[in-house]
Amino acid sequence: MKSMKLSTLSWQNLGDKDEHLITYLLYKEGKDVGLIAKIRRLNVEEVNRHLIRAKWEILSAGKEEKTLLERMIELDKSERKDILTAMPNNEKKELAREIYKKYFEIKHSEDKMLIIWLIGELRLKELLKLIHGDMDHPHGNVRRLACSAIGKIGDESSLNYLHKALADTKPQVRQYAAKALGNLGSKKTIQRIQNLLYNPDERDYVRRAFEEAIVKIEKKYTTG
């Protein structure tokens, strides 16, 4: 199929070989993957492959109208995950370049959270310094997602930022910093967390995240 948009894709303009788009239209009608598999006499894995391919083709078709980043922002979270799974490396690099250029123009906290989530999913170390600058963002959810993205990227240059986040005023930020440190932390991290572990005012779920981080870090050193 040549050029297509979500608004114009329909049963009437499908080509003879657009099997994955047939699957996609059934999905857009509200049918779940299991039902589509029965209707189309496909297994669930094949249906999911059809959906990912269709979403990627639809996203790619609008290049002349909007940037890749703009089109990604318009999708819902599940669609973004599917698109990123199907996205070729050259497109991921294009998306990273657009994020790098636009990051500091994004002021709204909701938009900033979405971009930080994308950075975490791309797992590119080159974008880390963008996130580092928002570890002091006034919105707690931005700081929380920054910790999550840092954990996904997994580079030890972020350790000091995560250590600082262990004392954040928002409990979920402390929780996500601990989760990230479970993968990235050092022996110094263990000592820092232990100093915080017995704070009587700490939330239970944060304390559990602290304990789990210590176990993971210690395991890294005993098996490494």
Side-chain angles (χ1 to χ4, degrees):
M1 179 171 262
K2 293 182 181 179
S3 180
M4 71 185 104
K5 301 176 185 176
L6 281 171
S7 58
T8 60
L9 178 62
S10 68
W11 293 108
Q12 286 71 41
N13 59 18
L14 286 175
D16 294 335
K17 298 182 179 180
D18 295 326
E19 292 292 326
H20 58 297
L21 296 178
I22 295 172
T23 300
Y24 181 76
L25 284 173
L26 290 170
Y27 174 78
K28 294 300 288 185
E29 288 179 351
K31 296 177 175 62
D32 63 37
V33 170
L35 179 57
I36 295 171
K38 291 179 180 178
I39 293 171
R40 304 231 52 217
R41 297 182 179 179
L42 301 169
N43 59 48
V44 170
E45 290 76 13
E46 185 65 21
V47 170
N48 282 323
R49 282 195 291 271
H50 279 193
L51 292 175
I52 291 172
R53 180 183 171 190
K55 289 174 183 179
W56 171 246
E57 288 183 0
I58 290 166
L59 185 75
S60 299
K63 283 188 174 180
E64 300 79 11
E65 303 164 7
K66 296 181 179 179
T67 68
L68 180 56
L69 179 58
E70 289 170 334
R71 285 175 279 136
M72 289 294 290
I73 289 173
E74 291 176 353
L75 300 173
D76 63 38
K77 185 174 180 179
S78 63
E79 287 181 317
R80 283 194 293 269
K81 289 183 76 73
D82 286 346
I83 292 300
L84 285 170
T85 299
M87 188 179 288
N89 286 335
N90 64 313
E91 297 280 2
K92 287 181 179 179
K93 290 179 181 177
E94 177 188 339
L95 180 59
R97 284 193 294 270
E98 291 179 18
I99 290 173
Y100 196 89
K101 290 177 181 178
K102 295 290 184 180
Y103 191 85
F104 295 108
E105 298 176 15
I106 299 167
K107 304 302 181 184
H108 195 282
S109 58
E110 293 292 330
D111 293 337
K112 181 63 69 76
M113 285 187 278
L114 194 159
I115 300 303
I116 291 174
W117 178 85
L118 279 174
I119 290 173
E121 294 299 309
L122 287 170
R123 289 169 168 76
L124 293 175
K125 295 179 182 179
E126 296 85 348
L127 299 176
L128 266 175
K129 64 180 181 180
L130 301 179
I131 303 176
H132 290 164
D134 272 320
M135 290 297 284
D136 292 319
H137 194 279
H139 198 295
N141 279 333
V142 171
R143 302 196 302 276
R144 174 180 63 84
L145 283 173
C147 290
S148 176
I150 286 171
K152 291 175 183 177
I153 295 170
D155 187 82
E156 293 182 357
S157 65
S158 300
L159 270 179
N160 288 337
Y161 294 96
L162 293 173
H163 285 163
K164 182 180 178 182
L166 289 171
D168 195 276
T169 57
K170 296 289 186 181
Q172 284 193 330
V173 177
R174 300 194 296 274
Q175 177 193 22
Y176 274 70
K179 287 182 176 182
L181 285 165
N183 296 323
L184 291 175
S186 62
K187 292 179 180 179
K188 183 180 178 181
T189 304
I190 295 175
Q191 185 176 353
R192 282 177 174 266
I193 295 177
Q194 285 175 334
N195 291 337
L196 300 167
L197 194 55
Y198 300 106
N199 176 2
D201 298 322
E202 187 56 275
R203 304 288 180 90
D204 287 342
Y205 66 87
V206 177
R207 190 176 290 109
R208 285 195 297 272
F210 285 171
E211 292 169 346
E212 290 167 3
I214 290 173
V215 169
K216 289 182 73 174
I217 297 167
E218 287 179 340
K219 185 176 180 181
K220 178 172 67 176
Y221 282 102
T222 56
T223 61

